[in-house]
Amino acid sequence: MAKTKELSKDTRNKIVDLHQVGKTESAIGKQLGLKKSTVGAIIRKWKTYKTTDNLPRSGAPRKISPRGVKMITRTVSKNPRTTRGDLVNDLQRAGTKVTKPTISNTLRRQGLKSCSARRVPLLKPVHVQARLKFAREHLDDPDEDWENVIWSDETKIELFGKNSTRRVWRTKNAELHPKNTIPTVKHGGGNIMLWGCFSAKGPGRLIRVKERMNGAMYREILSENLLPSARALKMKRGWVFQHDNDPKHTARATKEWLRKKHFKVLVWPSQSPDLNPIENLWRELKVRVAQRQPQNITALEEICVEEWAKIPATVCENLVKT
């Protein structure tokens, strides 16, 4: 039997008003285009409960008692890594037999949702203090200051790696059709290391690091790419360069090179990749590259450079603003 559409509150109230002025159920039904039985049901409900609002429906009783709900809520609050299986076992020992979906539904009603744990840097007290100091020093910096920063970092992009995860629409038993698969090889099929930079005005240069990077190679990369990026991005006078505290970046020779070149460097707290907006830009690049599914290292490098150049300046600007 098809489910009928519920009458609006205004219609229900109108039925009662017409009934109170002496109209019959048949007359009300004809006037409003409703069945007599529907009109009668609304009038009886109003006479019994003095309201036309929907009344609470009984439904099936909860399988977990209020005390049990408090117990499992307290358990996951103390240890968020508790599994649904652990909670099922806890309740079973207490005399209540439930399923894992019941656990999920119960905790969801308490405002708790199962999510993937975020990966964050391991922070020691000295790192916490350094991050706090950085935040306090720059708390009131205007947007214009951040727009005049060139952000930089290195990243590794794998061929056929985890970054190539994609969903496909397919029929049953067609999971191995070439169109529905992503080719994989052992150990990810190789990878490339990239150095890149950007500002609120858009992406700067992106280059592949073909050998193991040391201090001398890093200074060479900066020498060939940092200033050209600043010119291409039309950075204002007094622009600031940001890089993290990797030993290659903080080596005495690198610091001296930056000083001689008169580059102003942003003092950066250790263990703080999450503060650098370029991390989000790397993610943007990896998603774009994965969608094109490069088949070899040469193609991977070419596609990385192409997609990096395509990233809109608005994306960069929004990342810096955050």
Side-chain angles (χ1 to χ4, degrees):
M1 182 184 237
K3 188 175 180 181
T4 58
K5 187 176 179 181
E6 188 178 83
L7 296 179
S8 67
K9 186 173 176 61
D10 288 342
T11 302
R12 284 176 275 164
N13 290 338
K14 198 165 189 179
I15 290 172
V16 174
D17 292 340
L18 292 172
H19 169 72
Q20 288 181 315
V21 298
K23 287 207 172 187
T24 64
E25 294 176 3
S26 298
I28 297 172
K30 286 180 181 179
Q31 182 175 335
L32 300 179
L34 301 171
K35 292 180 180 180
K36 179 182 175 182
S37 59
T38 302
V39 174
I42 296 295
I43 292 172
R44 286 193 297 275
K45 181 179 183 179
W46 176 76
K47 286 181 177 179
T48 304
Y49 301 105
K50 299 301 180 185
T51 182
T52 60
D53 292 340
N54 290 327
L55 300 173
R57 296 170 173 85
S58 58
R62 304 288 189 203
K63 286 192 174 182
I64 304 178
S65 66
R67 184 176 181 181
V69 172
K70 286 183 180 179
M71 181 185 79
I72 64 174
T73 302
R74 186 166 56 247
T75 299
V76 298
S77 296
K78 287 182 178 179
N79 182 11
R81 296 183 184 181
T82 305
T83 65
R84 292 185 302 171
D86 294 334
L87 298 174
V88 167
N89 293 334
D90 289 346
L91 287 172
Q92 194 164 1
R93 283 192 290 269
T96 303
K97 189 175 181 180
V98 295
T99 62
K100 291 179 181 179
T102 300
I103 294 290
S104 297
N105 294 335
T106 301
L107 290 176
R108 196 174 293 116
R109 284 193 294 272
Q110 303 304 309
L112 296 166
K113 182 181 177 183
S114 177
C115 304
S116 297
R118 294 285 184 92
R119 294 183 178 275
V120 297
L122 177 63
L123 299 179
K124 297 178 180 178
V126 64
H127 300 140
V128 174
Q129 290 302 318
R131 287 162 66 96
L132 187 59
K133 182 174 182 288
F134 177 85
R136 285 172 174 163
E137 288 176 351
H138 297 284
L139 184 62
D140 298 319
D141 287 4
D143 290 346
E144 292 76 18
D145 285 4
W146 297 114
E147 291 171 0
N148 210 32
V149 175
I150 290 183
W151 310 86
S152 72
D153 196 18
E154 299 90 34
T155 193
K156 180 174 71 175
I157 297 188
E158 295 180 354
L159 182 67
F160 306 142
K162 293 180 180 179
N163 298 325
S164 296
T165 301
R166 292 194 70 185
R167 302 185 74 83
V168 296
W169 293 99
R170 64 172 176 81
T171 57
K172 189 176 181 181
N173 299 325
E175 62 271 16
L176 296 179
H177 190 284
K179 288 184 178 180
N180 300 329
T181 63
I182 293 177
T184 62
V185 295
K186 289 184 178 180
H187 312 300
N191 59 70
I192 60 174
M193 183 66 70
L194 300 172
W195 176 91
C197 65
F198 89 105
S199 79
K201 296 181 180 179
R205 287 196 175 182
L206 181 78
I207 61 140
R208 179 182 173 185
V209 182
K210 294 186 177 181
E211 300 174 19
R212 186 179 180 86
M213 189 189 291
N214 55 27
M217 184 185 297
Y218 180 64
R219 292 189 292 277
E220 184 180 345
I221 288 172
L222 295 184
S223 176
E224 295 177 357
N225 298 280
L226 182 54
L227 196 54
S229 293
R231 288 171 179 157
L233 293 170
K234 297 181 180 178
M235 301 298 291
K236 294 179 181 178
R237 191 180 185 88
W239 59 270
V240 178
F241 175 58
Q242 181 277 337
H243 60 178
D244 61 26
N245 292 314
D246 184 285
K248 298 182 291 293
H249 306 170
T250 58
R252 184 180 298 175
T254 301
K255 288 183 176 180
E256 183 63 17
W257 183 88
L258 289 166
R259 188 187 66 78
K260 286 182 178 180
K261 295 292 181 179
H262 305 289
F263 289 141
K264 189 176 180 181
V265 179
L266 180 65
V267 178
W268 195 251
S270 298
Q271 289 291 86
S272 301
D274 54 315
L275 297 182
N276 191 345
I278 202 171
E279 295 296 334
N280 301 87
L281 206 61
W282 288 140
R283 173 63 181 165
E284 175 77 18
L285 175 65
K286 290 174 183 178
V287 169
R288 287 167 172 260
V289 171
Q291 289 173 346
R292 293 185 57 179
Q293 298 187 8
Q295 300 297 306
N296 54 61
I297 291 295
T298 302
L300 177 61
E301 180 180 355
E302 291 174 355
I303 290 172
C304 283
V305 174
E306 290 173 11
E307 293 301 326
W308 179 261
K310 290 180 185 177
I311 296 175
T314 52
V315 172
C316 300
E317 183 181 10
N318 289 335
L319 287 177
V320 172
K321 282 182 178 179
T322 60

